[in-house]
Amino acid sequence: MSSKMATVAHPFLDKEQRKIQGLFDSIAPRYDLLNHLLSFQLDRRWRRLAVGELRPRRGGTYLDACCGTGDLGFSLLRGFERSEIRVIGADFSLGMLKLAVRKGEEGSRPHFLAGDTLRLPFADGTFDGAAVAFGIRNVEDLAGGLRELTRVVRPGGRVVLLEFTPLHVPFVGPLFHFYLAKVLPRIGNWISGSDERAYSYLNESIRRWPEGEALSDQMRAAGVCAVRWRSLFPGNVALHAGTRR
């Protein structure tokens, strides 16, 4: 799905870089609260499962791209001593990064830096693995973002995507989409105070996102092999993982 198609299809899906930066800067102060509240705390479990697919090991270096406030990076660090693993979080929203830096003690948090996923400031093959949790959907050029994410991972390294997906479970699906379209935007926009209607954008971006196998195909086209995916409870989140060729 190209960003041009998304922009034409619905005004909330204009993924032009500066607009997305401004949107996430505006909701940064309430971002973590709303993640946990609106997912009923399930987002914590989803991130742990993504870390498992990344298969972190001692001595490895890992990238949390589109890192937001750094929750995936912090999950990666759990279970390791300070010197045993290196985690870098990159995001182009300075509002999100400021909050990420404040979380955790010095030395027990990822190294955070400003970086656009379409132009990552790293050499080829820098990382043993790279992951994105609920961020790749917001990249202006999905194919370009996947290529760049794959480029910075060494051959044999892991590429993991954790992202929302349309829910088609009978009976539950219609209820979920009502919640997504009517309830979540009102709560999210009100609590976040978002003038950009960020949580209305969330609804539309999920509905138009490529589903399971379609996203797997795009990962393969970017240079990721052995791609596997599965939906996570309650079915509105998909976890994709593969290995760089």
Side-chain angles (χ1 to χ4, degrees):
M1 179 180 69
S2 71
S3 59
K4 290 183 179 179
M5 288 175 60
T7 302
V8 172
H10 196 288
F12 294 143
L13 290 187
D14 185 350
K15 296 185 183 181
E16 194 273 325
Q17 182 188 50
R18 284 176 296 179
K19 293 181 180 180
I20 296 297
Q21 279 180 303
L23 184 151
F24 280 97
D25 284 344
S26 73
I27 65 173
R30 302 287 183 184
Y31 183 75
D32 285 345
L33 169 66
L34 283 163
N35 273 352
H36 304 325
L37 176 66
L38 296 175
S39 73
F40 304 101
Q41 299 285 340
L42 286 171
D43 64 306
R44 300 178 189 273
R45 177 176 180 273
W46 295 333
R47 287 186 178 87
R48 289 196 298 270
L49 292 172
V51 168
E53 288 290 349
L54 201 55
R55 303 172 188 170
R57 58 178 178 79
R58 286 176 173 78
T61 301
Y62 299 90
L63 174 66
D64 175 10
C66 306
C67 69
T69 61
D71 277 355
L72 182 67
F74 283 106
S75 293
L76 260 167
L77 287 171
R78 291 190 186 104
F80 293 95
E81 298 296 332
R82 292 188 179 188
S83 61
E84 290 180 336
I85 189 172
R86 188 175 186 221
V87 178
I88 295 177
D91 201 292
F92 67 5
S93 168
L94 295 182
M96 291 287 188
L97 289 173
K98 287 177 183 177
L99 289 174
V101 169
R102 294 176 196 159
K103 293 162 66 172
E105 298 178 2
E106 186 68 36
S108 62
R109 64 178 178 225
H111 301 277
F112 292 109
L113 56 84
D116 182 354
T117 301
L118 290 173
R119 291 171 291 276
L120 290 168
F122 307 109
D124 294 1
T126 297
F127 298 96
D128 295 289
V132 184
F134 307 112
I136 195 68
R137 177 174 38 82
N138 304 309
V139 174
E140 188 174 7
D141 173 9
L142 173 58
L146 291 174
R147 287 194 300 270
E148 188 69 351
L149 196 66
T150 304
R151 177 188 67 79
V152 300
V153 173
R154 64 169 177 80
R158 300 287 287 171
V159 177
V160 175
L161 303 179
L162 177 66
E163 192 52 87
F164 290 114
T165 190
L167 180 63
H168 299 299
V169 178
F171 304 111
V172 177
L175 289 174
F176 169 73
H177 287 298
F178 176 81
Y179 171 75
L180 192 65
K182 302 297 183 183
V183 180
L184 184 148
R186 293 190 180 207
I187 296 174
N189 290 331
W190 173 59
I191 293 178
S192 68
S194 173
D195 293 331
E196 305 292 335
R197 300 182 70 187
Y199 288 86
S200 302
Y201 161 86
L202 172 66
N203 169 41
E204 291 300 323
S205 66
I206 294 171
R207 292 176 69 91
R208 300 175 188 273
W209 181 244
E211 299 184 40
E213 199 56 33
L215 184 55
S216 295
D217 288 341
Q218 295 212 39
M219 292 177 69
R220 294 180 188 110
V224 183
C225 66
V227 178
R228 298 288 184 271
W229 73 275
R230 68 185 192 271
S231 62
L232 304 181
F233 179 84
N236 64 319
V237 171
L239 180 57
H240 287 70
T243 303
R244 183 190 169 180
R245 283 197 294 267

